[in-house]
Amino acid sequence: MDEKQEQKFHQMTETPVGRLICRLALPCIISMLVTAFYNMADTFFVGMLKSNSATGAVGVVFSMMAIIQAVGFFFGHGSGNFISRELGRHNFEDASNMAATGFFSALAAGLVICVLGQLFLEPLAYLLGSTDTILPYAKAYLRVILLGAPWMTASLVLNNQLRFQGSAAYAMVGIASGAVLNIGLDPLLIFVFDMGIAGAAWATIASQFVSFCLLLAGCTRGGNLHIHISRVQLKGSYYAMIIKGGLPSLARQGLASVATICLNSAAKPYGDAAIAAMSVVQRIMMFGSSAMIGFGQGFQPVCGFNYGARLYRRVKDGFWFCVKSSTVFLLAVSALGFAFAPQLVALFRDDPEVIAIGAAALRFQCVTFCFNGWIVMSNMMLQTIGRTVPATFLAMARQGVFFIPLVWILSHALGLLGIQMTQMVSDCLTLVCAIPIQGKILRELSPRGRSGI
């Protein structure tokens, strides 16, 4: 066995849990914040075009990007969860095979998305929620974004595989470098080269390609598993493990995309300003939750390694540490978001109607935002230890099982107010489900409940 891999195993299973999670989480938090910032960059710079339709187009196409990300997370988390558990069991052969299988499968899936999307561009834009006025902007943005689908999906696989091996620093370098490049390219291509909204799309896929190259290079260093096409295993058993570990991510990201489409459709009767406002709020909330998600990503490899090594006390200690820390953080973020909601929305679109609609929606979401500490950490733990059914349900609940019907029910009952309240109500219902589901798993991990593990 490689000496660096042995050192990594001892680090993951012996270092005090709180300190280890914080060390692994720091590069994940930086990656998530920078990624969220450059996801917001397109909305910010396109908003300077002084067009609600252009800003709305970014929100419409965001749901397609969520689908692309869903595929990447499916293969990334599906292979990464398996890899962390197998490394915890000292099974490096199967871990290496899974790394290659997940990577090349995602690359192929991204190519399929690219080809099909280009063939059905206009129907796809309408399906995503475009109005007639938003359509030209959406097509210009979407056409370019689809070209980057292969390396966007593959990048997410590499990022997650590196994290699950305890090499979050390499993942951070790849993601953060691309993000900084995107932020620099946006104003250059949109304004200096006068490419408009298409310039924002080119900036995104160019930066994603740089990230892809750097992440691929990171796999050759630090005792990480190397990616070789010769190790690809086109076997049912491998894809069964990818499905088991990746289905919650596919459900979460895929339904988030469907939820965005439903949100845009429900907001259509209220004009482009409503679509633009809800798009801005989505970006703001994504930025607010990024640090919390990054913190949870620091927990996942610790959870996977120690669960594979049957060190269940460390798994539970890590979970409680993350829940307590993230809840306190989210309470602080919620208070700031509630207090400065109009100013935050105005950063992206200085239009009185957009600000009024967006500020109300943002304040509603801030009321229940702290619930995500328990919801997200529970989902991450369940997924990492291979509890596919409860993990998939929780992944689907917040922006799927509850959100999608609620956005239609509340919009018909309360109009625009119902749309603005939907996420808040969905969060409450998700928490009610998440507490008993996770409580049962925690009891099973206790000494008296291990017979079923």
Side-chain angles (χ1 to χ4, degrees):
M1 181 173 58
D2 186 281
E3 184 180 342
K4 290 182 179 179
Q5 291 174 335
E6 180 65 27
Q7 289 175 351
K8 188 177 290 184
F9 174 82
H10 288 295
Q11 173 195 12
M12 299 296 285
T13 56
E14 295 172 9
T15 306
V17 171
R19 192 169 74 206
L20 179 60
I21 290 173
C22 288
R23 188 167 72 208
L24 293 174
L26 182 59
C28 293
I29 291 169
I30 293 171
S31 295
M32 289 299 300
L33 287 174
V34 175
T35 300
F37 191 74
Y38 91 81
N39 278 334
M40 294 165 69
D42 283 1
T43 304
F44 177 79
F45 288 113
V46 169
M48 293 172 67
L49 294 172
K50 303 298 181 185
S51 167
N52 284 343
S53 297
T55 304
V58 176
V60 164
V61 176
F62 179 68
S63 55
M64 186 65 225
M65 293 181 70
I67 291 172
I68 294 170
Q69 290 172 351
V71 174
F73 281 125
F74 171 70
F75 288 106
H77 284 156
S79 59
N81 286 313
F82 177 85
I83 287 167
S84 69
R85 293 195 302 270
E86 293 309 301
L87 291 177
R89 297 177 181 125
H90 286 76
N91 188 353
F92 298 99
E93 184 74 15
D94 281 346
S96 295
N97 291 342
M98 181 59 85
T101 303
F103 171 78
F104 285 105
S105 297
L107 199 64
L111 185 60
V112 171
I113 292 171
C114 173
V115 172
L116 292 178
Q118 297 291 351
L119 289 174
F120 301 101
L121 190 67
E122 187 164 317
L124 179 59
Y126 274 122
L127 180 65
L128 296 174
S130 288
T131 62
D132 289 335
T133 48
I134 286 175
L135 182 65
Y137 298 98
K139 286 173 64 178
Y141 192 69
L142 181 60
R143 181 181 290 110
V144 180
I145 289 295
L146 286 167
L147 294 175
W151 59 82
M152 288 167 73
T153 54
S155 292
L156 287 168
V157 172
L158 295 173
N159 177 41
N160 282 288
Q161 288 182 356
L162 286 168
R163 281 198 308 102
F164 278 105
Q165 293 175 68
S167 295
Y170 289 101
M172 178 194 70
V173 169
I175 294 296
S177 299
V180 171
L181 179 62
N182 187 94
I183 294 166
L185 286 176
D186 259 340
L188 182 68
L189 297 182
I190 294 171
F191 303 112
V192 177
F193 288 94
D194 199 26
M195 295 173 69
I197 193 170
W202 281 111
T204 296
I205 69 164
S207 63
Q208 290 275 3
F209 184 72
V210 171
S211 289
F212 169 74
C213 294
L214 291 172
L215 289 166
L216 197 58
C219 292
T220 64
R221 308 176 62 123
N224 293 313
L225 300 172
H226 294 197
I227 305 292
H228 295 294
I229 194 168
S230 61
R231 285 194 169 272
V232 172
Q233 303 290 312
L234 301 178
K235 296 178 180 177
S237 59
Y238 278 81
Y239 284 99
M241 294 308 299
I242 288 176
I243 292 170
K244 187 177 181 181
L247 189 60
S249 295
L250 183 65
R252 178 174 55 249
Q253 290 293 123
L255 280 176
S257 177
V258 174
T260 302
I261 294 169
C262 293
L263 182 65
N264 291 334
S265 298
K268 264 185 186 181
Y270 304 98
D272 290 358
I275 296 176
M278 298 311 295
S279 170
V280 168
V281 171
Q282 280 185 306
R283 292 296 206 278
I284 293 171
M285 295 309 292
M286 180 192 301
F287 186 78
S289 64
S290 291
M292 183 264 298
I293 293 172
F295 193 63
Q297 288 176 344
F299 165 59
Q300 283 183 299
V302 177
C303 178
F305 266 82
N306 287 281
Y307 187 81
R310 302 182 68 83
L311 299 172
Y312 303 125
R313 167 54 60 185
R314 286 175 62 82
V315 174
K316 290 178 66 177
D317 288 348
F319 170 77
W320 284 113
F321 176 75
C322 288
V323 167
K324 292 173 184 176
S325 302
S326 59
T327 301
V328 170
F329 169 77
L330 292 177
L331 281 169
V333 170
S334 298
L336 291 172
F338 194 94
F340 298 103
Q343 293 89 334
L344 289 170
V345 176
L347 285 174
F348 298 90
R349 189 76 188 96
D350 192 12
D351 178 279
E353 189 177 4
V354 172
I355 293 171
I357 296 170
L362 181 58
R363 280 177 168 150
F364 279 124
Q365 292 192 33
C366 285
V367 172
T368 56
F369 194 41
C370 62
F371 294 172
N372 284 290
W374 180 277
I375 294 168
V376 173
M377 296 306 165
S378 298
N379 191 202
M380 286 183 166
M381 177 175 159
L382 291 169
Q383 185 174 1
T384 303
I385 66 176
R387 300 301 179 95
T388 308
V389 174
T392 302
F393 173 76
L394 282 187
M396 294 168 61
R398 184 173 180 262
Q399 289 190 292
V401 173
F402 297 125
F403 185 95
I404 292 172
L406 279 171
V407 76
W408 292 113
I409 294 167
L410 294 179
S411 64
H412 282 90
L414 301 173
L416 181 58
L417 177 64
I419 296 171
Q420 294 166 316
M421 291 176 60
T422 298
Q423 190 65 68
M424 177 185 72
V425 179
S426 180
D427 285 350
C428 291
L429 294 174
T430 303
L431 181 68
V432 169
C433 294
I435 290 173
I437 289 173
Q438 181 65 5
K440 179 177 182 291
I441 299 299
L442 291 172
R443 287 192 297 274
E444 289 179 5
L445 291 178
S446 66
R448 293 179 181 177
R450 285 179 192 168
S451 58
I453 294 176

